[in-house]
Amino acid sequence: KAHAGPAGSQLANGKPAAAPTSSSSSSSRQRSKQELELVANVIDTAILRAMLLQPDSGALLRLLQQTNYVDLEDGEAVLTAAGRYAELTALYQYNRRHAQGLQLLQQLSQRPSELPTPPSGAAADLKGLPGVWAAVRYLIGMQPQDLQLLTAHAGWVLAADPEAGLEALLDMSPPLKPDLVMPLMQEHAPTYTAVYLESALDLGLVSPGEVHSELLLIYLHMALEEEREGEQRCG
């Protein structure tokens, strides 16, 4: 019979019982975690489907804006079919599918008629400027590693509403460097370049010496434009 000795448990042959290895213990924990996540995935996806059958109270949007285990592919299909694009954007954002999330917001704001299902719920109110500001909130929450995607979508936001675009570019943490922002401003909102540089100065993103000459050129160009427009009105 196995018996316990001073050095610990022993088998009948007198050899010590093998203790669980750290690798087997880690593997067991990993399996348990995966099983729990699978159960949570099934439960959260079922909750999403059930909530879609109820009148929209905003609860589903709040669910998807916090930690959840909704199956992305399944959630995408049922939310699209229901026209619940605000909730789908939240699902994309939570799963770091930022390209899809920002593209969807652009469609909601600028081209809602091109969506496969008419927008419903909160998404129905995102046509035009509300959708632009929804994109601003999305952009502000993005990380530096998403820089390429961020600058690509900042362009249409600036074109749609320069003030909204400025807020997005200045409120990011950390803020984008001016040498990345200025080409965007010049292409999509050229009349707001001076406003951006003045804001960048106030925030300490640039020093006066770095932008002094550029601001002078912008102010000179603005003055010449105003003078020419005045002459055209008088003529």
Side-chain angles (χ1 to χ4, degrees), residues 82-173:
R84 299 287 286 272
Y85 298 112
E87 289 83 356
L88 180 54
T89 300
L91 184 62
Y92 283 144
Q93 187 172 23
Y94 179 76
N95 286 278
R96 295 191 55 77
R97 299 297 182 94
H98 298 317
Q100 292 99 314
L102 287 166
Q103 183 179 2
L104 182 53
L105 284 175
Q106 184 178 11
Q107 284 186 282
L108 283 166
S109 173
Q110 308 295 301
R111 305 182 304 277
S113 62
E114 296 179 8
L115 291 161
T117 308
S120 66
D125 298 323
L126 292 180
K127 183 179 179 180
L129 290 182
V132 173
W133 283 99
V136 168
R137 292 189 292 273
Y138 196 122
L139 289 168
I140 289 173
M142 292 176 68
Q143 301 299 314
Q145 60 264 32
D146 303 311
L147 178 62
Q148 185 175 358
L149 186 61
L150 194 154
T151 54
H153 283 273
W156 74 262
V157 173
L158 277 168
D161 186 340
E163 292 184 3
L166 269 177
E167 181 164 327
L169 293 168
L170 291 169
D171 284 0
M172 291 173 188
S173 182

Side-chain angles (χ1 to χ4, degrees), residues 15 63 139 177:
K15 294 183 179 180
L63 170 71
L139 289 168
K177 294 181 180 179

Side-chain angles (χ1 to χ4, degrees), residues 12-233:
N13 59 10
K15 294 183 179 180
T21 64
S22 59
S23 60
S24 64
S25 177
S26 175
S27 176
S28 177
R29 286 196 300 270
Q30 183 66 24
R31 283 196 303 272
S32 297
K33 181 181 178 182
Q34 290 172 347
E35 290 168 359
L36 287 172
E37 288 181 353
L38 181 59
V39 171
N41 178 279
V42 172
I43 292 173
D44 280 7
T45 305
I47 290 172
L48 180 147
R49 286 177 168 273
M51 293 179 77
L52 280 174
L53 300 175
Q54 305 300 317
D56 179 28
S57 64
L60 180 55
L61 180 58
R62 291 191 294 273
L63 170 71
L64 296 173
Q65 287 173 333
Q66 58 191 1
T67 301
N68 69 83
Y69 293 89
V70 171
D71 181 82
L72 179 60
E73 185 176 341
D74 195 1
E76 182 180 42
V78 296
L79 290 170
T80 299
R84 299 287 286 272
Y85 298 112
E87 289 83 356
L88 180 54
T89 300
L91 184 62
Y92 283 144
Q93 187 172 23
Y94 179 76
N95 286 278
R96 295 191 55 77
R97 299 297 182 94
H98 298 317
Q100 292 99 314
L102 287 166
Q103 183 179 2
L104 182 53
L105 284 175
Q106 184 178 11
Q107 284 186 282
L108 283 166
S109 173
Q110 308 295 301
R111 305 182 304 277
S113 62
E114 296 179 8
L115 291 161
T117 308
S120 66
D125 298 323
L126 292 180
K127 183 179 179 180
L129 290 182
V132 173
W133 283 99
V136 168
R137 292 189 292 273
Y138 196 122
L139 289 168
I140 289 173
M142 292 176 68
Q143 301 299 314
Q145 60 264 32
D146 303 311
L147 178 62
Q148 185 175 358
L149 186 61
L150 194 154
T151 54
H153 283 273
W156 74 262
V157 173
L158 277 168
D161 186 340
E163 292 184 3
L166 269 177
E167 181 164 327
L169 293 168
L170 291 169
D171 284 0
M172 291 173 188
S173 182
L176 290 181
K177 294 181 180 179
D179 60 347
L180 294 172
V181 174
M182 281 302 290
L184 290 171
M185 299 300 304
Q186 290 162 348
E187 180 179 357
H188 300 286
T191 58
Y192 279 75
T193 51
V195 178
Y196 167 73
L197 287 176
E198 290 167 353
S199 299
L201 275 171
D202 291 340
L203 294 171
L205 302 178
V206 290
S207 66
E210 291 178 286
V211 296
H212 178 72
S213 298
E214 192 161 7
L215 274 172
L216 282 178
L217 287 173
I218 292 171
Y219 292 143
L220 177 60
H221 177 75
M222 291 168 62
L224 291 173
E225 282 291 315
E226 288 180 6
E227 183 178 347
R228 185 166 65 247
E229 290 173 3
E231 290 175 351
Q232 289 174 347
R233 286 193 296 270

